[in-house]
Amino acid sequence: MAELGRVAPGLLEAHLPGTGLGSRTREQLVITVADVNGCRVLAWVHGAWQEFLGPADPDETTEALVAYARACAEAGMPLDATTLEAVFPAPVVRSTRATVARAQLSSLLMNGAGLLADELLSRRPAGVLATVGQVAAVALVLPALLPAVAVAGALKVAVRVAPALPEPELPSGDDANLVVHLLAEALPSYLGHTVVRSLLLWSPVVLAVGVRMEGTAATLRIGQGRVSIVNGIRSDALVIVEGGLEPLFHLAAGSIVRQLAASARRSRA
């Protein structure tokens, strides 16, 4: 609570675009803290949000923030953020600290409420002080927990109803240029958000976007349940995006890492 007081503006900044954390990274931080504390309810609720928004890109930036969140949760207290302050803007550091502190407090309260439920079911009540603390935890958690669980359930349904990302149609053989391949690898990041993916794929009108980078171009078409990427800028492109290859490389690399991580998890299972 003291940490939340010190970085209170970070609670707002963490939810504002362009000022603090990205929404996907924010959810990853909360899930990391919940997992360390063994708080399954909090992990489930924010796991639903993560599925809805799409996973965070596993780049060096995200990994550094997640590592800080994990270290704080394992220590059971806020740790020094000097290293983060040397690398990240002040709003990002405040947002990270506030998100971690809020997740830690929520985990402790939910775990306390869970202990009370277990003791009532087993009819082995703890001491008076412990029971009073657990009742207080229930009183604090329950009003916010029930709506959060209801929203998470609705998000789970939305994710199930939403269309899966289809395999993009690419030029045959070795005809596809570099931008075509990078766009194909980056699609899981672009279309990770459930609402965005649903609106674009269910659209009866095909949306065409041209992408030109360092002398190479491609056109991305999405709509009517299909995704296709072709070489060059086509005449039906509604907008043309120009820029360097580096941002697209990062997105593509993040998508590849996620796919490898998912394959590794399936192999272990």
Side-chain angles (χ1 to χ4, degrees), residues 44-45 47-49 51-53 148-164 194-195 197-198 202:
W44 183 83
V45 168
W49 274 104
E51 289 181 41
F52 183 78
L53 296 170
V149 170
V151 171
L155 295 179
K156 290 277 189 181
V157 172
V159 171
R160 285 181 174 272
V161 172
T194 301
V195 172
R197 185 174 66 255
S198 300
W202 282 339

Side-chain angles (χ1 to χ4, degrees), residues 8-27 29 91-92 94-100 102:
L11 285 175
L12 178 61
E13 291 170 331
H15 293 80
L16 293 178
T19 58
L21 296 174
S23 56
R24 297 175 179 181
T25 303
R26 182 186 66 238
E27 298 306 318
L29 295 180
V92 173
R94 279 196 303 270
S95 299
T96 299
R97 291 175 59 185
T99 299
V100 171
R102 186 192 66 175

Side-chain angles (χ1 to χ4, degrees), residues 167-179:
E167 191 71 23
E169 301 170 11
L170 306 179
S172 59
D174 298 327
D175 296 335
N177 63 36
L178 178 60
V179 177

Side-chain angles (χ1 to χ4, degrees), residues 58-265:
D59 55 19
E60 293 181 2
T61 299
T62 303
E63 289 301 321
L65 299 177
V66 170
Y68 175 79
R70 184 179 295 108
C72 289
E74 290 173 349
M77 59 183 294
L79 300 179
D80 182 72
T82 303
T83 303
L84 296 183
E85 291 168 352
V87 178
F88 298 99
V92 173
V93 177
R94 279 196 303 270
S95 299
T96 299
R97 291 175 59 185
T99 299
V100 171
R102 186 192 66 175
Q104 181 74 1
L105 183 60
S106 298
S107 296
L108 295 176
L109 290 174
M110 289 185 185
N111 286 344
L115 286 174
L116 178 61
D118 290 342
E119 288 162 3
L120 291 176
L121 291 174
S122 64
R123 298 182 181 180
R124 293 198 305 270
V128 175
L129 291 178
T131 302
V132 169
Q134 292 161 5
V135 170
V138 171
L140 290 172
V141 166
L142 205 57
L145 181 60
L146 294 180
V149 170
V151 171
L155 295 179
K156 290 277 189 181
V157 172
V159 171
R160 285 181 174 272
V161 172
L165 182 63
E167 191 71 23
E169 301 170 11
L170 306 179
S172 59
D174 298 327
D175 296 335
N177 63 36
L178 178 60
V179 177
V180 168
H181 287 295
L182 289 176
L183 283 173
E185 292 296 342
L187 277 176
S189 293
Y190 286 126
L191 301 181
H193 196 293
T194 301
V195 172
V196 173
R197 185 174 66 255
S198 300
L199 290 176
L200 290 176
L201 289 176
W202 282 339
S203 171
V205 178
V206 176
L207 173 67
V209 178
V211 178
R212 183 182 291 121
M213 294 184 174
E214 299 179 5
T216 308
T219 301
L220 170 67
R221 290 191 179 96
I222 304 176
Q224 300 177 352
R226 299 170 57 190
V227 177
S228 64
I229 309 172
V230 297
N231 294 325
I233 303 296
R234 298 306 171 93
S235 58
D236 60 345
L238 299 178
V239 64
I240 299 175
V241 180
E242 298 199 30
L245 287 172
E246 185 174 354
L248 201 52
F249 268 123
H250 284 306
L251 281 174
S255 299
I256 294 170
V257 171
R258 278 201 305 273
Q259 293 166 13
L260 292 175
S263 299
R265 286 195 295 270

